[in-house]
């Protein structure tokens, strides 16, 4: 059978395709922009005839049909490797659960059988003449997830760009059990607009950058601010090696800042694992030989990152304590995000020759009642999740400056962190540091 005949023979409607799901199944959705929108809606329509369906996903980009159709979660249990703003609403309502992981290990959970998959559903780009469907915007751990699945359904969408990859970037028609054609819009996830504080933080990091660095920019408003700042600077010959490709990189490509010419390997090629952003970014990636997707187990592996000299990793966090522990995924027990690739990149960047990892946050936040709270805390006590342990705490950044914690004793860390805390909070932090016996009598602000 030629590939077009095979394609035709496997085509069906979304409602027909989801008939394969049976009580008790684990169903995995393609992460973020690979979300199978039409299949999710069709599965939602089965909510009253199915029992105990566990769905796994990450970074939902819009309302999830199975949850909307099943407001009391009688049929569906929603599990998340990583969380978006939409997911936070489900988590806040007790309607979703987080699955902790390091992104570099996520695929191994499928490979080792710890994350069983009965049915996998992903959005892919249209088939090429060889019978291949590009994974498009989400490489991630798609391959491992599909390898683990008993049944694979692809949702073929012409709005998904064709993205070339270093490997594990497509699936052949012979390996799928069902094909559903869809015209759903691919989710957009433009970065949050940078605030004045994001811009100040970006200015504080900027002096550490130089020509020829390879750059990883994380998720959130601040990395976007830094992208804009670099695009307007005279820096040149930057490289891209990042888990997340977002619009910050598009600004850099458009400004001619990224050439990838100084990378010791994959010269001339930018490398990413997941892309989330604007339509313009997706159009930029479509059939673009300059940018390759690769699996998370490769991109996020500290051993890969270590070999990229002059590697600079820039991510955001939520809070730090005076010991240098960093929380980037919860506020107390309120779940906000995920470890994602943060610890992978902090570890890899430190190991690279001349590498540096920055973790940035606003020094404080003002609550709904107008009360200011420090994001630098004496100690974590409220259930906050430690994303980066103090042993790996890197260059910490707020709008008040940069504190390199590497090699510092507890009293030095406390002093360095209090120096970048909000000025109104410093006296209280010093008192707390004294009480915790991490303040030296001669310390000065
Ligand atoms: C490796 C790569 O290539 S990708 C990056 C690596 N991965 C990571 O770093 C994962 C962890 N980091 C993250 O997820 C993000 O960078 C974050 C969450 C820390 C910051 O992202 P931003 O988009 O700038 O966060 P933002 O300021 O919009 O806050 C997100 C939410 O956290 C809440 N929040 C943030 N800080 C606090 C705080 N100190 N206290 C309470 N809540 C807070 C906000 O209110 C918001 O909640 P809402 O959506 O319900 O309103
Ligand atoms: C796409 C998610 C980015 C991260 O947190 O690693």
């Amino acid at each position: 059978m030629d590939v077009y005949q095979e394609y035709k023979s496997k085509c069906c409607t979304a409602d027909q395709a989801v008939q394969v799901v049976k009580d008790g199944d684990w169903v995995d959705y393609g992460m973020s922009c690979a979300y199978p929108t039409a299949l999710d809606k069709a599965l939602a329509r089965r909510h009253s005839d199915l029992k105990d369906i566990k769905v796994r996903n990450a970074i939902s980009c819009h309302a999830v049909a199975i949850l909307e159709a099943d407001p009391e979660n009688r049929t569906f249990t929603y599990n998340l490797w990583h969380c978006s703003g939409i997911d936070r609403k489900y988590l806040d309502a007790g309607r979703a659960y987080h699955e902790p992981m390091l992104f570099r290990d996520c695929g191994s959970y499928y490979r080792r059988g710890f994350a069983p998959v009965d049915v996998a559903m992903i959005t892919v780009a249209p088939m090429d003449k060889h019978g291949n469907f590009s994974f498009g915007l989400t490489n991630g751990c798609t391959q491992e997830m599909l390898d683990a699945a008993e049944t694979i359904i692809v949702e073929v969408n012409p709005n998904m760009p064709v993205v070339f990859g270093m490997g594990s970037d497509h699936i052949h028609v012979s390996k799928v059990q069902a094909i559903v054609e869809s015209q759903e819009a691919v989710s957009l996830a433009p970065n949050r607009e940078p605030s004045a504080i994001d811009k100040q933080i970006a200015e504080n990091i900027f002096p550490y950058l130089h020509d020829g660095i390879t750059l990883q920019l994380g998720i959130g408003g601040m990395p976007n601010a830094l992208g804009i700042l670099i695009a307007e600077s005279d820096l040149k010959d930057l490289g891209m090696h990042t888990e997340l490709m977002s619009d910050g990189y598009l600004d850099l490509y458009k400004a001619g800042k990224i050439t990838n010419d100084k990378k010791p390997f994959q010269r001339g090629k930018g490398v990413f694992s997941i892309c989330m952003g604007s339509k313009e970014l997706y159009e930029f990636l479509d059939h673009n030989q300059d940018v390759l997707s690769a699996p998370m187990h490769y991109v996020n592996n500290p051993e890969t990152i270590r070999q990229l000299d002059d590697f600079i990793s820039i991510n955001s966090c939520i809070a730090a304590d005076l010991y240098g522990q960093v929380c980037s995924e919860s506020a107390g027990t309120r779940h906000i995000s995920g470890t994602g690739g943060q610890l992978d990149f902090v570890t890899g960047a430190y190991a690279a020759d001349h590498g540096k990892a920055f973790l940035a946050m606003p020094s404080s936040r003002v609550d709904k009642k107008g009360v200011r709270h420090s994001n630098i805390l004496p100690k974590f006590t409220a259930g906050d999740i430690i994303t980066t342990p103090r042993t790996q705490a890197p260059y910490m950044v707020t709008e008040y400056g940069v504190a390199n914690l590497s090699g510092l004793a507890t009293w030095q860390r406390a002093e360095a962190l209090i120096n970048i805390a909000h000025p109104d909070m410093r006296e209280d932090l010093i008192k707390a540091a004294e009480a915790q016996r991490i303040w030296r009598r001669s310390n000065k602000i």
Side-chain angles (χ1 to χ4, degrees):
M1 211 177 347
D2 82 4
V3 291
Y4 294 106
Q5 279 174 325
E6 187 161 8
Y7 181 100
K8 227 171 151 190
S9 72
K10 292 180 176 176
C11 268
C12 59
T13 65
D15 288 298
Q16 287 166 336
V18 300
Q19 290 306 313
V20 71
V21 178
K22 54 190 188 317
D23 292 348
D25 272 358
W26 278 95
V27 177
D28 269 63
Y29 286 178
M31 279 186 193
S32 58
C33 296
Y35 173 77
T37 309
L39 288 161
D40 176 42
K41 288 180 187 166
L43 188 58
R45 286 191 283 275
R46 289 197 62 199
H47 70 92
S48 53
D49 70 88
L50 282 169
K51 281 194 209 68
D52 187 27
I53 304 303
K54 280 89 58 180
V55 175
R56 252 191 232 104
N57 192 15
I59 322 172
S60 315
C61 294
H62 52 76
V64 180
I66 51 154
L67 294 183
E68 300 302 318
D70 180 27
E72 289 173 16
N73 287 62
R74 287 180 186 278
T75 308
F76 299 107
T77 305
Y78 197 52
N79 307 279
L80 292 155
W81 292 122
H82 200 307
C83 316
S84 64
I86 289 160
D87 295 324
R88 282 197 277 285
K89 295 196 170 59
Y90 295 128
L91 287 155
D92 286 345
R95 303 198 53 210
Y97 302 90
H98 178 57
E99 303 173 294
M101 55 100 184
L102 297 174
F103 250 144
R104 71 172 185 266
D105 288 339
C106 189
S108 71
Y109 298 146
Y110 292 109
R111 216 173 43 246
R112 296 181 188 194
F114 301 142
V117 188
D118 295 293
V119 184
M121 305 179 179
I122 61 166
T123 290
V124 292
M127 189 179 79
D128 69 13
K129 63 184 180 187
H130 306 288
N132 295 316
F133 301 97
S134 163
F135 290 163
L137 299 168
T138 301
N139 189 313
C141 43
T142 304
Q143 186 68 61
E144 289 102 329
M145 186 258 274
L146 297 180
D147 287 347
E150 296 290 327
T151 302
I152 298 171
I153 310 173
V154 291
E155 182 167 324
V156 178
N157 189 328
N159 299 313
M160 178 63 93
V162 171
V163 177
F164 300 125
M166 290 176 53
S168 300
D169 50 14
H170 65 273
I171 183 164
H172 192 260
V173 63
S174 58
K175 299 212 170 107
V176 311
Q177 278 68 47
I179 297 169
V180 172
E181 292 183 336
S182 158
Q183 298 283 340
E184 299 278 357
V186 171
S187 300
L188 302 178
N191 272 340
R192 168 170 83 61
E193 272 305 302
S195 65
I197 290 180
D198 291 327
K199 289 180 190 162
Q200 185 55 54
I201 290 173
E203 301 237 353
N204 292 345
I205 297 173
F206 188 77
Y208 292 84
L209 311 183
H210 57 83
D211 293 350
I213 54 172
T214 296
L215 199 57
Q216 177 264 315
L217 293 177
I219 193 164
M222 185 281 297
N224 207 24
L226 191 64
I228 295 166
L229 199 63
I230 301 171
E232 290 166 355
S233 74
D234 56 7
L235 284 178
K236 58 180 189 300
D237 271 333
L238 307 185
M240 178 178 96
H241 180 96
T242 186
E243 174 199 304
L244 175 68
M245 182 168 189
S246 60
D247 282 283
Y249 283 105
L250 183 62
D251 293 331
L252 295 179
Y253 268 104
K254 285 201 309 198
K257 298 294 167 189
I258 298 188
T259 60
N260 294 299
D261 280 349
K262 303 286 181 211
K263 282 168 97 175
F265 49 96
Q266 287 130 17
R267 201 164 166 265
K269 306 275 187 187
V271 172
F272 78 97
S273 197
I274 291 190
C275 175
M276 291 163 66
S278 63
K279 197 159 188 296
E280 190 187 357
L281 178 63
Y282 302 162
E283 279 161 10
F284 169 78
L285 275 182
D286 189 40
H287 288 93
N288 186 339
Q289 295 276 8
D290 289 338
V291 186
L292 302 178
S293 79
M296 217 96 83
H297 69 76
Y298 171 80
V299 175
N300 287 32
N301 190 334
E303 182 51 27
T304 308
I305 302 164
R306 179 188 72 73
Q307 296 174 56
L308 291 159
D309 303 344
D310 297 303
F311 192 90
I312 302 285
S313 160
I314 297 165
N315 293 305
S316 299
C317 58
I318 289 173
D321 72 5
L322 290 180
Y323 300 94
Q325 304 189 93
V326 182
C327 164
S328 309
E329 56 197 278
S330 80
T333 55
R334 182 188 182 220
H335 202 85
I336 289 180
S337 180
T339 297
Q342 182 169 116
L343 192 53
D344 301 337
F345 277 85
V346 165
T347 309
Y350 182 78
D353 278 352
H354 316 296
K356 291 185 182 62
F358 295 85
L359 288 182
M361 64 185 170
S363 65
S364 66
R365 80 188 161 85
V366 177
D367 69 19
K368 285 182 192 140
K369 294 181 186 145
V371 180
R372 187 177 293 282
H373 302 269
S374 181
N375 286 333
I376 295 179
L377 306 168
K379 55 186 184 287
F380 285 122
T381 52
D384 315 72
I385 305 297
I386 306 303
T387 307
T388 299
R390 66 178 179 169
T391 43
Q392 284 183 284
Y395 289 77
M396 299 301 300
V397 193
T398 71
E399 69 276 27
Y400 292 103
V402 179
N404 176 13
L405 302 186
S406 301
L408 302 190
T410 49
W411 62 271
Q412 291 173 301
R413 283 167 178 248
E415 184 176 56
L417 285 162
I418 293 171
N419 271 333
I420 61 166
H422 192 283
D424 295 353
M425 309 292 168
R426 292 182 190 177
E427 281 304 318
D428 284 349
L429 286 168
I430 290 171
K431 282 188 199 134
E434 274 173 336
Q436 290 166 214
R437 296 179 302 283
I438 53 173
W439 189 254
R440 222 173 49 141
R441 188 168 277 280
S442 60
N443 276 13
K444 291 195 185 67
I445 293 292

